[in-house]
């Protein structure tokens, strides 16, 4: 029997949905096999599979779109150069002195010499239109406003604008006040800088102008003559109210004007004579005179503890007080040092060892390096006066060598001598034990245990000693005090054929020294021949004189100037100055004694307290070089002779690359050890050495004495003790002046030979030059290294051989 199904459209729809559901339910979950032919889908599927197995997220870069630009540019953080700038660390004390133009060379100079090296900064404030070219004192500030009652406010405004964020305390005083700077700084170290400080000595009624004031509390102001100490916070508040202070400064009393301004700006009602337990006291001399009553004043305790003493009437009183308080301070330091040593010895002998206190013996010898392993331990070797024991693992006893035996005897004799000196009753009987050890860091160490008979105790005693023989002689040499602010007087001799080199030197000198306001002074020394005119348009040095005047006028506000002095050479010397001098590394040529004539005649216009540097017009230097001149030239102790770097004329030879600012190297030049043109010294040291050797080297006082100077050189040419340059002068004199000679990469030579070769491209004139001094070839200039010349010789030799074969 058959069954007939009658299916409609709806039945087909429902059947299809059911079949699709069953198919999706029983189908596998890994779809990779069905999409293998689509690369992009396959990559996504692989990534998905890896994520499931590794459980890691792999970022995908979207390179289709451009990167978005930040709406706001991020600023780079510029950090300060020094730590103290970033941390806000400031110097402790600034001293401002009110003085006058009449007292700059007297009272102000005395204050500067007695206090400038003991405080962080000192400035002198006067009324003047141009102060930089009138005085030798450089730390002067001049105000064009001549109203006397406004001068303190000009000073306060100057301090607030320039030094407010650099110093903690400001000390204001007049030029009749002596400052015991050591005491002031010692007291200020204990004051807090977070509070407003207005300290000093209260103003007496006798020192206040009663007619100009109606205030009943006029004695609450600090006296400017006794010194006023203001903190940086007070200066900051005064700057904000400076207009009110100027309008209400009616009195001519500077102390009252400053007091009113401080009272209004900071609400400090009165002057504090003591603050936070610190008393910065002053001493009023009243009717006392330093030169007459000093033996009475020195007995007062209030005078010895005073930080400021006023009023001072003569400059000698400043130096007398400074010498007295310096000696007093030295005694106090010696007492503190002795107390600390006693406490250190008690601590070291009681509870702490020398290793913790880091006590080193002897002074100046380093401690042994601790061994990194047991194999690095330096062993102690037992010995007596003749043998050493257990020298190594294979030798038990070994005879000392003659040197070691003599060394042991010397050590033993000196040890016994030292023991008997400390204890005269001790009598040496023999060696108990002795050990030695050689340390490559320290030297030879000895440990001795010796037997002595004590005649006072009448028994045998044992004493231990430790002896060391350092590797080198250890000597602690005191170093004199020098600064980098000393004024350098540069002397520049010039011959007639060296005008171009001097013009180039002046151009570089302006950029190096005058534009940067370096503390220098340049004096040109023009050496005229016997027949050369020195005036009018025919003057060969007229261009240099015009340049010197122009530079002085341009930089007169900075105190920099260029001067000159003229020297007339004798007929004999004039004839000897020839073009062959260009072949010498020294611009004097073979006549190096002309440097004495230049210095002797120029020092009369400079003075005996100046730092002088005799320079060469063929040289160029950088500012760092002048700082080394200041640091290495020490008055009464040392002169400095730098060894400059002679540069090859690379433009002409083509054997090297021309570069003036490059580092020194064998391919670009050499250090010219035979050149003594540049030397620095102090004037009084030079004069003393010249007087010591005046018989061998006549002093040039006029132009006519130059002939005697050169004539003496010719008579002593065969003598080994002949003096030809300034370094030999200091070496052969009886003075205790050290001579420091060292290489200086920032001092360059080579300008002269480059100028000669630039006008002689084919070397025709240069080939005719010759260095006639056969005794010392080091004085002759070299235009290339031996390697460069050898390479050229080999190259041309090969070319010549090739041509011969053809």
């Amino acid at each position: 029997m058959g069954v007939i199904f009658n299916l409609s459209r709806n039945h087909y729809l429902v059947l299809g949905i059911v079949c699709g559901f069953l198919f999706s339910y029983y189908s596998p979950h890994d779809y990779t096999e069905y999409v293998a032919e689509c690369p992009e889908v396959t990559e996504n599927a692989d990534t998905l599979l890896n994520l499931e197995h590794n459980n890691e997220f792999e970022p995908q870069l979207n390179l289709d779109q451009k990167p978005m630009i930040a709406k706001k540019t991020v600023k780079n953080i510029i950090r300060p150069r020094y730590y103290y700038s970033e941390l806000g660390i400031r110097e402790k004390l600034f001293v401002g002195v009110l003085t006058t133009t009449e007292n700059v060379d007297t009272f102000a100079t005395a204050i500067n010499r007695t206090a400038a090296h003991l405080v962080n900064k000192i400035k002198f404030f006067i009324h003047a239109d141009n102060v930089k070219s009138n005085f030798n004192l450089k730390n002067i500030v001049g105000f064009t406003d001549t109203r006397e009652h406004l001068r303190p406010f000009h000073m306060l405004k100057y301090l607030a604008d320039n030094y407010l964020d650099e110093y903690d305390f400001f000390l204001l005083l007049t030029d009749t006040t002596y400052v015991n700077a050591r005491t002031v700084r010692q007291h200020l170290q204990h004051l807090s800088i977070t509070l407003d400080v207005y300290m000093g000595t209260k103003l007496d009624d006798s020192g206040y102008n009663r007619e100009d004031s109606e205030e009943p509390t006029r004695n609450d102001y600090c006296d400017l003559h006794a010194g006023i100490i203001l903190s940086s916070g007070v200066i900051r508040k005064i700057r904000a109210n400076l207009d009110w202070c100027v309008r209400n400064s009616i009195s001519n009393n500077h102390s009252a004007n400053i007091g009113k301004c401080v009272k209004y700006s900071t609400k400090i009602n009165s002057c504090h004579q003591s603050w936070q337990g610190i008393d910065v006291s002053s001493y009023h001399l009243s009717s006392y005179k330093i030169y007459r009553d000093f033996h009475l004043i020195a007995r007062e305790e209030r005078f010895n503890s005073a930080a400021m003493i006023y009023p001072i009437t003569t400059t000698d009183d400043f130096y007398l007080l400074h010498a007295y308080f310096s000696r007093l301070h030295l005694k106090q330091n010696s007492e503190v040092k002795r107390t600390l040593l006693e406490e250190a010895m008690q601590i070291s002998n009681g509870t702490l060892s020398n290793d913790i206190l880091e006590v080193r013996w002897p002074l100046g010898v380093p401690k042994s390096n601790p061994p990194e392993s047991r194999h690095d331990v330096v062993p102690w070797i037992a010995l007596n006066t003749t043998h050493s024991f257990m020298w190594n693992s294979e030798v038990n006893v070994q005879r000392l060598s003659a040197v070691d035996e003599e060394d042991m005897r010397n050590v033993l004799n000196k040890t016994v001598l030292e023991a008997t000196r400390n204890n005269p009753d001790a009598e040496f009987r023999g060696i108990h034990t002795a050990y030695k050890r050689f340390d490559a860091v320290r030297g030879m160490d000895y440990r001795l245990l010796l037997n002595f008979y004590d005649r006072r105790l009448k028994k045998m005693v044992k004493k231990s000693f430790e002896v060391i023989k350092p590797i080198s002689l250890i000597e602690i040499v005191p170093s004199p005090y020098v600064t980098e602010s000393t004024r350098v007087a540069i002397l520049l001799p010039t011959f007639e054929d060296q005008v171009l080199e001097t013009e180039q030197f002046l151009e570089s000198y302006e950029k190096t020294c005058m534009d940067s306001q370096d503390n220098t002074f340049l004096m040109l020394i023009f050496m005229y021949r016997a027949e050369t005119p020195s005036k009018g348009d025919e003057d060969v040095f007229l261009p240099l004189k015009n340049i010197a005047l122009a530079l002085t006028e341009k930089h007169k506000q900075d105190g920099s100037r260029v001067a000159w002095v003229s020297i007339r050479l004798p007929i004999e010397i004039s004839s000897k100055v020839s073009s062959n001098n260009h072949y010498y590394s020294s611009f004097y040529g073979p006549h190096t004694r002309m440097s004495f004539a230049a210095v002797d005649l120029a020092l009369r216009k400079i003075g005996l307290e100046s730092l002088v540097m005799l320079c060469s017009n063929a040289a160029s230097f950088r500012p760092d070089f002048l700082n080394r001149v200041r640091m290495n030239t020490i008055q009464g102790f040392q002169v400095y002779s730098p060894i400059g770097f002679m540069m090859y004329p690379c433009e002409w030879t083509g054997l090297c690359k021309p570069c003036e600012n490059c580092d020194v190297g064998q391919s670009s030049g050499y250090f010219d050890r035979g050149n003594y043109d540049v030397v620095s010294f102090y004037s009084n040291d030079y004069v003393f050495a010249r007087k010591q050797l005046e018989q061998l080297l006549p002093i040039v006082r006029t132009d006519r004495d130059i002939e005697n100077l050169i004539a003496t050189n010719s008579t002593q040419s065969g003598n080994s003790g002949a003096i030809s340059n300034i370094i030999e002068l200091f070496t052969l004199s009886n003075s205790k002046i050290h001579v420091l000679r060292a290489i200086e990469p920032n001092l360059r030579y080579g300008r002269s030979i480059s100028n000669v070769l630039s006008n002689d491209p084919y070397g025709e004139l240069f080939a005719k030059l010759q260095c006639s001094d056969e005794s010392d070839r080091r004085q002759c200039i070299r235009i290339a290294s031996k390697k460069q010349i050898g390479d050229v010789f080999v190259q041309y030799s090969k070319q010549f051989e090739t041509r011969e074969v053809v």
Side-chain angles (χ1 to χ4, degrees), residues 524-576:
L524 303 176
I525 304 174
F526 299 138
M527 295 187 179
Y528 289 91
R529 294 189 181 186
E531 69 282 356
T532 304
S534 60
K535 295 181 180 180
D537 297 336
E538 298 180 356
D539 187 0
V540 68
F541 293 116
L542 181 61
L544 297 178
K545 294 180 180 179
N546 294 333
I547 295 175
L549 294 175
L551 292 177
T552 302
E553 181 65 23
K554 180 179 178 181
H555 298 276
K556 66 178 181 180
Q557 298 295 334
D558 302 326
S560 299
R561 63 191 184 97
V562 180
W564 70 78
V565 62
S566 300
I567 297 176
R568 179 70 64 176
L569 299 178
I571 298 177
E572 288 188 5
I573 308 302
S574 300
S575 60
K576 292 181 180 179

Side-chain angles (χ1 to χ4, degrees), residues 270-329:
S270 64
C271 173
H272 295 286
Q273 293 183 339
S274 179
W275 182 258
Q276 295 180 347
I278 303 300
D279 184 14
V280 183
S281 61
S282 62
Y283 185 85
H284 188 265
L285 291 175
S286 185
S287 60
Y288 286 118
K289 299 294 182 182
I290 296 294
Y291 65 89
R292 183 188 63 192
D293 306 322
F294 189 76
H295 62 286
L296 300 175
I297 304 174
R299 299 176 184 176
E300 299 185 20
E301 182 63 27
R302 193 165 59 89
F303 171 79
N304 293 327
S305 61
M308 268 78 70
I309 299 174
Y310 69 101
I312 307 299
T313 56
T314 62
T315 56
D316 293 338
D317 292 345
F318 281 98
Y319 303 119
L320 178 61
L321 290 172
H322 186 66
Y324 173 75
F325 282 105
S326 297
R327 185 180 64 179
L328 205 64
H329 185 74

Side-chain angles (χ1 to χ4, degrees), residues 13 261 456 642 721 786:
L13 177 61
C261 187
R456 184 173 59 86
K786 294 181 179 180

Side-chain angles (χ1 to χ4, degrees), residues 153 156-157 238-247 261:
F153 302 109
L156 291 172
K157 185 178 185 304
I238 289 177
R239 181 175 62 177
N241 300 277
L242 202 57
D243 294 337
W244 185 93
C245 298
V246 171
R247 290 195 304 269
C261 187

Side-chain angles (χ1 to χ4, degrees), residues 379-424:
W380 288 90
I381 300 174
L383 74 160
N384 55 19
T385 56
T386 57
H387 292 79
S388 61
F389 307 96
M390 300 298 295
W391 179 259
N392 52 38
S393 58
E394 299 179 357
V395 180
N396 294 332
V397 181
Q398 183 177 357
R399 178 80 182 185
L400 293 176
S401 63
V403 176
D404 292 337
E405 190 173 347
E406 182 181 1
D407 185 52
M408 180 60 189
R409 285 198 303 267
N410 293 335
V411 169
L412 182 60
N413 293 335
K414 292 194 179 222
T415 304
V416 172
L417 182 63
E418 183 68 20
T420 54
R421 182 185 293 112
N422 296 331
N423 188 5

